[in-house]
Amino acid sequence: MTEFFGAWSGNNDDVEEIEESVETVETFTTTTSKTRRKATIPETSSTTKTTTMTTPAKLYGRELSTYDEVDVDELLAKLSQEELTMLAKEVDPDDNFLPPSQRNNYACEKDPTGPLNRKKLIEHINKQALETPDRPEVKPFVPGVIRGKKWIPPPPPEKVRDAEEQITIDLGDEYEQALGTASQEEIIDLAAILGFHSMMNQDQYHASLLNKGQPVGLGWDGITKATKQKVYPMDPPNDVDPDKSIDRVKENDQTFLDLNWNNIKNISDEKFEKLFEALKTNTHLEVVSLVNVGLNDRTAALLADALQANTSLRVVNVETNFISPAGVVQLVRALLATTCVEEFRASNQRSQVLGNKTEMEITRLVEQNPTLLRLGLHLEYSDARHRVASHLQRNIDRIRQQRRSQSGA
């Protein structure tokens, strides 16, 4: 709607004349012009106002606002069973909580024939397949005769064809002569040495690296045959008695140097408590391997206390358990109190990723440890890996230098 007010001009007569014209167009735009004349006030004013009118949305000829107060339950209650069935066929609700029988439009009106008999169903399908005649062929099959139009690959573009013709490499007379007189097996060996894996199959590549001789009959176009899978015997079960091991650790047996509880199931927390309590006073045990025994943060804290008090352990392995990153940090921190542990392994825990903060804390603790030589942890960040590897190498070099000086003296 557009309104325009014209200029006001003075007149001697005290008469106010108003002229108004209204014009309506198809785009719902109304233009109104007014002209006012007064005798005593000479004033000029001009104002333009624009308003856009839109057509409201309608449903079945009525505006949507009229359906806001409609009670859907009341309307459904007035419908008959046939009308409800017709309405259900037209509506397909996208609701995963509804069973499929209520979600789809198909309604089977046949009576059930009984429970499913898989054997009879397969026999019926096979019978139908055998009894159903094949579709007649438009042109019967004749060996050696092509039916239909034979596909001919299009010629390569001229640019590609010219590029293939122009690719030439001048290797020199010596190399040209050597490659020209080389056998196929020697060419395959050369390709393996240069790392051209796509030019050969797996058997040829490994035979070239191991210098076993190329398999007979393969060549460049040979197909690698399936090799028989190597069957490795299963690892024997761990028959170590945890109770006897705990007793030997408590007694500080001089001949008991290696404790191996790997892969022993259902070890109670009470046994772990007894073992770690005995480790505090043991002075002969050197290796403790507790792989896949169900260690958690609580038992890991007890192990950390035992490591701080022990003075004989050299290797500690707690891989494949349920220790959190905070528990791993606690174990690494406990290694600072002892000066005997040279190898510590704690990878493959409950959390595969330790996180940047945890890895930096482990790196800081490792850099403070002067005796640790090997660390079995998966560090994701390259900075942490580099710093840990550099410090461990410095520890190894220092230990070697000390041993050389002691042997020389």
Side-chain angles (χ1 to χ4, degrees):
M1 180 181 293
T2 305
E3 297 180 0
F4 177 78
F5 296 91
W8 291 356
S9 60
N11 195 355
N12 295 331
D13 299 336
D14 296 332
V15 180
E16 181 179 356
E17 297 180 1
I18 302 175
E19 296 179 2
E20 181 176 352
S21 62
V22 180
E23 181 182 356
T24 305
V25 295
E26 294 181 357
T27 59
F28 298 96
T29 303
T30 305
T31 305
T32 305
S33 301
K34 294 183 180 180
T35 304
R36 297 185 181 182
R37 295 178 180 178
K38 291 187 179 180
T40 59
I41 305 176
E43 182 178 354
T44 302
S45 175
S46 178
T47 305
T48 303
K49 182 180 180 182
T50 303
T51 305
T52 303
M53 299 178 62
T54 57
T55 305
K58 294 184 178 182
L59 180 64
Y60 296 110
R62 301 169 63 182
E63 295 184 1
L64 294 178
S65 59
T66 59
Y67 296 98
D68 294 341
E69 299 180 357
V70 175
D71 190 358
V72 180
D73 296 335
E74 183 179 355
L75 290 178
L76 293 176
K78 295 179 180 179
L79 298 178
S80 62
Q81 186 64 31
E82 296 179 356
E83 293 174 340
L84 289 174
T85 304
M86 294 176 60
L87 181 62
K89 291 182 178 180
E90 296 180 359
V91 178
D92 188 8
D94 188 9
D95 189 357
N96 295 331
F97 294 99
L98 291 176
S101 60
Q102 299 180 12
R103 244 187 293 151
N104 55 13
N105 298 329
Y106 174 75
C108 183
E109 299 178 355
K110 297 181 180 180
D111 297 332
T113 57
L116 174 65
N117 191 335
R118 184 175 180 275
K119 183 178 179 180
K120 289 186 178 180
L121 177 61
I122 294 176
E123 292 178 355
H124 173 73
I125 294 174
N126 294 335
K127 182 180 178 182
Q128 290 291 330
L130 293 175
E131 294 178 355
T132 302
D134 298 333
R135 294 181 181 180
E137 296 181 351
V138 178
K139 186 176 181 179
F141 171 74
V142 178
V145 179
I146 299 176
R147 297 184 295 180
K149 186 178 179 181
K150 182 180 179 181
W151 181 81
I152 301 175
E158 295 182 0
K159 294 183 178 180
V160 178
R161 188 166 54 250
D162 296 341
E164 291 179 354
E165 295 176 356
Q166 294 176 2
I167 295 176
T168 57
I169 300 175
D170 186 10
L171 299 177
D173 296 338
E174 182 179 358
Y175 291 102
E176 289 286 350
Q177 183 179 2
L179 293 176
T181 57
S183 62
Q184 192 177 54
E185 288 77 9
E186 293 174 346
I187 297 294
I188 293 175
D189 292 338
L190 179 61
I193 295 173
L194 296 177
F196 298 152
H197 309 288
S198 59
M199 298 178 62
M200 65 193 70
N201 52 44
Q202 191 174 12
D203 287 350
Q204 293 173 337
Y205 177 71
H206 289 290
S208 299
L209 293 184
L210 300 177
N211 197 18
K212 291 183 177 180
Q214 291 298 327
V216 179
L218 285 182
W220 290 114
D221 301 329
I223 300 175
T224 303
K225 297 181 180 180
T227 56
K228 188 176 181 181
Q229 185 179 6
K230 296 181 180 179
V231 179
Y232 294 95
M234 296 292 293
D235 294 335
N238 195 342
D239 54 355
V240 175
D241 188 0
D243 295 329
K244 293 183 179 179
S245 301
I246 295 173
D247 294 338
R248 297 184 66 180
V249 174
K250 283 182 179 180
E251 296 172 359
N252 200 5
D253 189 357
Q254 298 181 1
T255 60
F256 190 54
L257 305 178
D258 188 351
L259 174 67
N260 186 353
W261 281 8
N262 294 346
N263 302 318
I264 297 180
K265 305 298 183 181
N266 303 324
I267 300 179
S268 62
D269 292 346
E270 289 78 12
K271 294 182 180 180
F272 284 124
E273 293 177 2
K274 294 179 181 179
L275 174 64
F276 298 150
E277 188 65 28
L279 283 177
K280 296 180 180 180
T281 58
N282 189 283
T283 58
H284 296 92
L285 191 64
E286 296 182 357
V287 179
V288 171
S289 185
L290 303 174
V291 178
N292 191 22
V293 293
L295 284 176
N296 50 31
D297 288 346
R298 178 177 173 275
T299 52
L302 299 176
L303 176 59
D305 296 339
L307 292 177
Q308 293 178 359
N310 188 275
T311 58
S312 62
L313 285 176
R314 293 189 303 103
V315 179
V316 178
N317 190 350
V318 291
E319 293 179 341
T320 317
N321 284 294
F322 302 98
I323 305 174
S324 64
V328 175
V329 172
Q330 188 177 5
L331 290 173
V332 177
R333 184 180 291 110
L335 299 179
L336 296 176
T338 179
T339 58
C340 57
V341 176
E342 300 177 354
E343 181 178 348
F344 176 74
R345 299 185 179 276
S347 60
N348 193 23
Q349 299 297 329
R350 179 177 61 184
S351 178
Q352 297 292 337
V353 180
L354 297 176
N356 185 23
K357 183 177 180 181
T358 303
E359 290 189 7
M360 290 298 106
E361 180 66 18
I362 292 175
T363 303
R364 185 182 65 83
L365 295 173
V366 170
E367 289 177 341
Q368 298 176 6
N369 195 318
T371 59
L372 189 63
L373 304 181
R374 287 176 291 275
L375 179 67
L377 276 176
H378 176 69
L379 301 178
E380 182 179 4
Y381 296 92
S382 58
D383 181 30
R385 293 198 302 267
H386 177 70
R387 290 169 57 184
V388 168
S390 300
H391 181 74
L392 295 180
Q393 186 62 41
R394 286 195 296 269
N395 288 348
I396 294 174
D397 295 340
R398 187 178 62 255
I399 295 298
R400 288 178 178 175
Q401 187 66 26
Q402 292 176 0
R403 291 177 180 175
R404 289 177 183 175
S405 61
Q406 291 176 1
S407 61

